[in-house]
Amino acid sequence: MNPLDHSFATLKQRGGTAFMPFVTVGDPNPECTVDILLTLQEAGASMIELGIPYSDPLADGPVIQRSSQRALKNSVTLTSALECAQLAKQQGLTIPLLLFTYYNPLLQLGLHTAFERMSVAGIDGIIIPDLPYEENERVRALSETFGIHLIPMVALTSKDRVPKIVERAAGFIYCVSSFGVTGMRSQLHTELEAFVRYVKEVSGLPAVVGFGISTSEQYREVSRYADGVVVGSAIVHAIEQQRELWLDPDSRAEAAHSLRSFTEHLISK
Amino acid sequence: MQLLLQDYSGRPTPLYFAERLSNQLGGARIFLKREDLNHTGAHKINNTIGQGLLAKKMGKKKSSRKPEPDSTVLRQRRFAPCWVWNARFSWEKKIFADKKLNVYRMRMLGAEVVPVTSGSRTLKDAGNETMRYWVANVEDTFMLFGTAAGPHPYPYMVREFQKVIGEETREQALTNMGRLPDTVIACVGGGSNAIGMFHPFIDDSQVTLMGVEAGGRGIESGAHAATLSQGTPGVFQGSYSYVLQDIHGQVKEAHSISAGLDYPGVGPEHAFLRDSGRVRYCSITDQEALDALYLLSRTEGIIPALESSHAVAQAVKLAPECSSEHIMVVCLSGRGDKDVEAIAGYEGGGLQ
């Protein structure tokens, strides 16, 4: 059983919601990323989305774009990001890991090689925001071969395409909460709840909501009807603000403590 | 659409025999497809009218676009007031400073021009920013993509709106000269004027088609925009085509004296035409383009856009080797007024 499925099944029994933080691998640096992942696990993450830095992150807002650029300055690549994930696993990370990557880095590494390396690194799922359903056949076949779920994204604008997109999906469905790119928003779309319920019904899979959830109020609200909630920009922003602390080995524990409190507050009931 | 192309833009554009240029070079008879005579000064208006009509039909009230860093934006906005309420442009910071006059003209036409502050703040980032704005406001916003690249159906749509260039050229050649041209040359950045020019000639195997990319400071310098010659296959801004990128798939910045060719991607149909061998692609350096610009200005009294100067430069190279029977058509995709500041800047000193 894919660890993602296992996590959702367990959460369902307990009536809980999956908390899925997003982290850009290599920001502030790859070493810190390992500590950040372990901290998020301690703070209650059910699974973590690992963002692979990319030069042209079309689906991302300013916070994640900046983070991506910093990671690229640290020469982080898809391969080194996977090594970083593997290292975190060796150091005690047990929760499932998902990759959030644009298509081109996968393509340049070679799709087969990429899946092989993901498998070695212990990746359980992959999200490719710029790969449309109509073009994903090769990736889907590989995802089935390697047992790594290819997570589809659906948005409020997907409308009639939703049944088709979710038809052969595995793992869960990533529901984009709003129009536009990632980033913190003051209000969630009014149609979100109905949309998420619809997606769950059509797909029969857990629905995870992402893009724009940054406060504990929003987290609580979405948790009522979604099976999981992604928090990206808010986490990345919190790390950005403590960059100096993270980068200095002497103060890293302090940075980790602060991230842990921030996260615990965010998901507190 | 036909009516707007005729009455608003001034089509058909002439196919002009550049006699003095031809005489000076010796060899081929060079003809210029005068897209520079369109309203607002370039071929871009063809596509702008097409997509503008589409936006109207779709009931979109705003338009968002990545400006081609030339007066393309003006074309869009001049046309826009007919139906589009509010145009918003993202423009790279560097260009913002370089092209004060063009930005000013856009604002005169009522557009909101926003400098790009994300990524490397270059043309590709302006494109990314435009797409981000579009997805965030998709309910009432139409993204007007100026070149034959980007996500489907833009490459197809832009080609359909631009193929009028090749159709007219074909007809004019048959009417005026009684036969098809031997060589057709067009510049390629994203590749919209080139695909529009080439498309109607694809089945005419006797016609040699040549696409000219920006060689910048020289291919070996690495500072160029020769995507088809130097790029590798990849996905960029929604299409699978050639891309200037590193081995990890990170997209590089392109360079050209001509901001309109300064793009690390290229339309996917050009990638196909390159691989199938139907179109030959080559590159021209900044300096060669500038020399051609002066040559055309001084022989014919036509100041071409820096983009088009690349195509002219290729003709300058080839024409002397051809016989006097050889008919060569160059797509003069735009006029050079918009580039005067850039040229003055390149030559040092600026406008005095």
Side-chain angles (χ1 to χ4, degrees):
Chain A
M1 191 183 212
N2 183 305
L4 281 170
D5 300 334
H6 184 258
S7 287
F8 279 110
T10 314
L11 282 163
K12 195 173 181 183
Q13 275 175 0
R14 293 201 312 239
T17 308
F19 165 53
M20 194 189 303
F22 170 100
V23 169
T24 304
V25 181
D27 174 37
N29 69 31
E31 202 185 335
C32 293
T33 298
V34 174
D35 286 347
I36 289 167
L37 300 182
L38 293 168
T39 305
L40 290 167
Q41 174 173 267
E42 280 171 40
S46 319
M47 47 198 75
I48 298 178
E49 209 182 316
L50 299 173
I52 305 299
Y54 183 51
S55 55
D56 295 80
L58 268 178
D60 288 299
V63 172
I64 293 174
Q65 284 177 45
R66 282 201 301 270
S67 158
S68 221
Q69 283 209 305
R70 287 192 295 267
L72 286 176
K73 281 201 184 119
N74 292 330
S75 307
V76 174
T77 63
L78 178 54
T79 306
S80 70
L82 289 170
E83 284 163 5
C84 186
Q86 203 171 350
L87 193 64
K89 292 242 156 176
Q90 283 160 8
Q91 296 191 10
L93 192 78
T94 54
I95 56 177
L97 289 177
L98 292 123
L99 228 53
F100 180 97
T101 177
Y102 290 85
Y103 192 38
N104 203 39
L106 287 172
L107 211 53
Q108 300 311 318
L109 182 57
L111 293 179
H112 198 274
T113 309
F115 270 91
E116 259 170 11
R117 295 203 185 160
M118 282 190 277
S119 179
V120 171
I123 301 297
D124 307 302
I126 181 167
I127 301 164
I128 312 171
D130 62 342
L131 180 66
Y133 168 83
E134 288 77 2
E135 306 285 340
N136 79 1
E137 205 165 313
R138 269 183 73 203
V139 175
R140 200 177 56 210
L142 283 165
S143 79
E144 283 161 9
T145 308
F146 284 89
I148 297 170
H149 288 332
L150 173 63
I151 308 300
M153 290 181 113
V154 293
L156 293 160
T157 42
S158 303
K159 293 174 184 159
D160 302 345
R161 276 164 50 87
V162 171
K164 195 167 80 174
I165 295 171
V166 304
E167 194 185 22
R168 293 179 61 184
F172 63 89
I173 312 294
Y174 193 120
C175 301
V176 178
S177 68
S178 50
F179 291 144
V181 294
T182 61
M184 299 170 262
R185 285 178 179 77
S186 52
Q187 285 209 311
L188 294 169
H189 202 281
T190 47
E191 289 167 33
L192 183 60
E193 180 172 353
F195 177 69
V196 171
R197 291 191 191 284
Y198 166 71
V199 170
K200 283 165 78 163
E201 195 187 303
V202 178
S203 68
L205 287 171
V208 174
V209 174
F211 283 34
I213 295 144
S214 61
T215 65
S216 45
E217 290 74 28
Q218 288 170 336
Y219 185 86
R220 270 200 301 277
E221 190 200 323
V222 177
S223 300
R224 281 194 302 108
Y225 50 82
D227 302 294
V229 182
V230 178
V231 180
S233 296
I235 300 274
V236 172
H237 183 63
I239 294 167
E240 180 181 45
Q241 283 187 317
Q242 307 249 298
R243 214 169 150 254
E244 300 304 318
L245 288 181
W246 278 111
L247 285 171
D248 181 354
D250 293 336
S251 54
R252 198 168 293 162
E254 193 188 329
H257 180 77
S258 152
L259 177 65
R260 188 175 164 163
S261 324
F262 172 82
T263 311
E264 283 170 348
H265 171 72
L266 185 80
I267 60 174
S268 63
K269 295 210 168 141
Chain B
M1 173 146 178
Q2 205 82 44
L3 206 66
L4 280 165
L5 285 174
Q6 180 190 301
D7 297 345
Y8 184 77
S9 178
R11 300 206 73 93
T13 59
L15 184 62
Y16 166 72
F17 176 40
E19 192 173 1
R20 279 163 293 265
L21 177 67
S22 302
N23 287 343
Q24 177 144 349
L25 294 170
R29 300 169 70 203
I30 300 173
F31 290 79
L32 304 174
K33 178 60 175 165
R34 299 291 308 273
E35 291 300 296
D36 61 315
L37 292 180
N38 272 303
H39 175 50
T40 71
H43 71 290
K44 294 281 179 185
I45 191 78
N46 304 326
N47 173 51
T48 305
I49 288 178
Q51 290 195 34
L53 286 170
L54 195 63
K56 186 188 177 196
K57 188 166 172 65
M58 291 168 78
K60 307 261 177 162
K61 299 282 188 204
K62 294 185 195 167
S63 74
S64 165
R65 64 157 300 162
K66 161 188 83 85
E68 304 298 310
D70 53 26
S71 49
T72 306
V73 273
L74 299 175
R75 270 158 233 140
Q76 139 77 10
R77 186 55 200 169
R78 273 187 200 158
F79 185 65
C82 311
W83 312 302
V84 184
W85 293 113
N86 182 10
R88 183 188 162 97
F89 300 104
S90 14
W91 211 333
E92 70 172 289
K93 266 224 161 134
K94 185 182 86 185
I95 301 234
F96 227 77
D98 280 3
K99 304 247 178 178
K100 290 190 199 83
L101 188 64
N102 284 346
V103 172
Y104 199 84
R105 283 148 82 187
M106 284 160 61
R107 287 184 170 144
M108 280 174 72
L109 293 159
E112 181 193 352
V113 189
V114 191
V116 169
T117 54
S118 66
S120 49
R121 302 180 180 185
T122 57
L123 183 60
K124 76 180 175 82
D125 299 289
N128 292 344
E129 223 37 77
T130 304
M131 289 191 198
R132 288 184 187 116
Y133 180 86
W134 176 46
V135 290
N137 299 278
V138 67
E139 283 175 311
D140 62 355
T141 301
F142 183 89
M143 179 174 78
L144 206 162
F145 207 76
T147 195
H152 176 74
Y154 284 94
Y156 164 78
M157 204 156 60
V158 175
R159 182 251 278 166
E160 286 301 294
F161 293 140
Q162 293 294 5
K163 72 181 183 191
V164 62
I165 305 171
E167 283 168 353
E168 278 179 16
T169 303
R170 213 170 172 284
E171 205 179 296
Q172 287 163 330
L174 290 172
T175 310
N176 304 346
M177 299 165 241
R179 68 178 179 93
L180 294 176
D182 300 292
T183 306
V184 172
I185 303 173
C187 66
V188 179
S192 72
N193 89 88
I195 204 70
M197 177 56 115
F198 296 160
H199 188 71
F201 289 104
I202 295 294
D203 294 332
D204 304 313
S205 55
Q206 72 274 34
V207 181
T208 302
L209 303 174
M210 295 205 73
V212 186
E213 297 193 293
R217 297 194 195 102
I219 297 297
E220 62 294 336
S221 74
H224 59 77
T227 309
L228 287 159
S229 327
Q230 299 295 313
T232 48
V235 168
F236 172 57
Q237 291 184 344
S239 46
Y240 181 63
S241 182
Y242 284 88
V243 186
L244 294 177
Q245 59 181 331
D246 68 15
I247 55 161
H248 304 294
Q250 307 295 344
V251 179
K252 291 185 195 166
E253 284 171 35
H255 163 82
S256 168
I257 185 177
S258 155
L261 300 182
D262 191 351
Y263 185 61
V266 64
E269 198 166 338
H270 284 293
F272 170 76
L273 292 169
R274 171 200 186 274
D275 289 353
S276 69
R278 178 63 189 94
V279 179
R280 286 166 53 202
Y281 294 91
C282 58
S283 66
I284 284 290
T285 64
D286 289 347
Q287 191 59 50
E288 288 170 326
L290 202 58
D291 292 344
L293 180 140
Y294 278 115
L295 181 64
L296 187 64
S297 301
R298 289 168 188 178
T299 51
E300 299 289 345
I302 297 169
I303 303 177
L306 279 170
E307 288 84 348
S308 322
S309 301
H310 286 72
V312 176
Q314 184 61 21
V316 170
K317 270 191 184 174
L318 293 180
E321 295 163 16
C322 303
S323 78
S324 58
E325 301 301 305
H326 195 101
I327 297 172
M328 187 175 279
V329 173
V330 177
C331 183
L332 202 71
S333 55
R335 67 176 189 229
D337 313 28
K338 70 186 173 63
D339 290 327
V340 172
E341 281 174 287
I343 296 163
Y346 180 85
E347 296 187 326
L351 294 174
Q352 297 297 325

